[in-house]
Amino acid sequence: MMQNTNQENSPKPPCQISRWHNFETQDAINQTTLKRILAAANEAIANRGRFSIVLAGGSTPKSIYALLKDAKADWANWHVYHNDDRCLPVDNSERNSLMARTTWLNHVSIPANQIHDIPAELGNIEGAKAYAKTLAGVPTFDLVLLGLGEDGHTASLFPNQAVDNSADAVPVFDAPKPPADRITVSQQRLSNSREVIFLVTGAGKQDAVNHWRNGVAIPATLITPENGVDVYCYGVTF
Ligand code: 6PG
């Protein structure tokens, strides 16, 4: 009689639906992303009275945040979160929250209590606990923006690092991309979004893109929203 091994009964992780878009210029990827963000905001506010967006960190999204600085939007109904941040002082130039504020958020009229920085200055354990409380009760995100690291990481979900998916925000130790201590929103919470856009630019991401498209389980593949993910690329080939 066939033995039913546990593996046969264990639930399979959801597989990722991905749609790939290759842009010829940086301006094209920026303008398309800007239009997509504003359209998602209009739809969310019209239908649900609020727009919740989760920002990517790193350098790639900076040019898009600079376009948002000058955009016309119903800012009063925007709610801004971050997908990760580095455990550094609030005024450290490496903080993702500071980059978003100086590039965009300080220049528009989103109510201060609707901009939710990750309190990474508290340290990864206390900061993650605090952010998990912030996210508790936040409904499905409308739009999550994510970057891609050269090793295939996204947010602060790094290769060979298990993530506690029972919490919405979790501490990260020994991150290979400095600083070692970070806080990340979990893959399961990042996947709870109507739309997800990955922003991937530069030849340095080519290996990660190749692995991703060849079915290698890089951390970016952990993001599995029902409606799939859109991968916006510039400067990589496929
Ligand atoms: C971080 C980011 C990280 C980033 C990628 C890509 O805190 O570093 O959240 O996931 O998005 O490393 O970074 P670049 O956009 O700078 O290439």
Side-chain angles (χ1 to χ4, degrees):
M1 181 178 77
M2 284 290 288
Q3 288 295 328
N4 250 344
T5 59
N6 283 339
Q7 283 80 345
E8 281 157 13
N9 300 329
S10 61
K12 294 242 176 308
C15 73
Q16 182 184 71
I17 302 161
S18 57
R19 295 173 291 271
W20 292 76
H21 314 256
N22 218 342
F23 293 88
E24 294 296 314
T25 63
Q26 182 73 58
D27 187 52
I29 189 173
N30 287 354
Q31 291 298 333
T32 302
T33 308
L34 173 69
K35 286 194 184 76
R36 186 79 190 271
I37 293 170
L38 296 176
N42 291 340
E43 185 277 333
I45 294 166
N47 292 305
R48 293 176 293 281
R50 61 181 277 157
F51 174 56
S52 63
I53 181 172
V54 185
L55 303 186
S59 57
T60 300
K62 195 168 179 178
S63 51
I64 291 161
Y65 298 165
L67 292 176
L68 281 164
K69 173 171 78 74
D70 298 320
K72 295 270 173 290
D74 181 2
W75 300 120
N77 290 304
W78 284 50
H79 296 254
V80 179
Y81 302 86
H82 288 269
N83 61 50
D84 72 342
D85 213 336
R86 299 98 180 258
C87 293
L88 296 164
V90 282
D91 58 354
N92 185 294
S93 61
E94 289 299 300
R95 281 289 296 267
N96 291 329
S97 49
L98 186 64
M99 182 273 280
R101 283 179 179 276
T102 50
T103 309
W104 161 33
L105 298 174
N106 288 349
H107 307 278
V108 297
S109 54
I110 297 173
N113 65 348
Q114 292 172 203
I115 299 175
H116 306 280
D117 291 349
I118 296 176
E121 62 281 4
L122 301 179
N124 54 6
I125 294 173
E126 290 312 313
K129 276 186 203 154
Y131 210 58
K133 286 201 182 84
T134 298
L135 292 176
V138 173
T140 299
F141 294 132
D142 292 302
L143 175 58
V144 169
L145 299 177
L146 284 161
L148 180 70
E150 297 188 2
D151 61 359
H153 78 259
T154 192
S156 285
L157 303 167
F158 289 96
N160 312 312
Q161 288 198 353
V163 169
D164 167 13
N165 250 328
S166 63
D168 285 349
V170 294
V172 174
F173 301 85
D174 308 319
K177 177 178 180 182
D181 285 1
R182 290 162 167 257
I183 292 163
T184 191
V185 175
S186 63
Q187 68 240 32
Q188 142 264 349
R189 188 60 182 90
L190 288 169
S191 300
N192 182 6
S193 180
R194 289 181 178 79
E195 298 182 68
V196 174
I197 300 175
F198 278 89
L199 299 167
V200 182
T201 62
K205 311 297 172 74
Q206 187 66 57
D207 283 351
V209 165
N210 294 344
H211 287 141
W212 192 348
R213 289 176 57 85
N214 292 331
V216 176
I218 60 171
T221 62
L222 295 169
I223 310 303
T224 54
E226 263 176 46
N227 299 332
V229 303
D230 287 292
V231 189
Y232 284 6
C233 297
Y234 164 62
V236 291
T237 55
F238 56 84

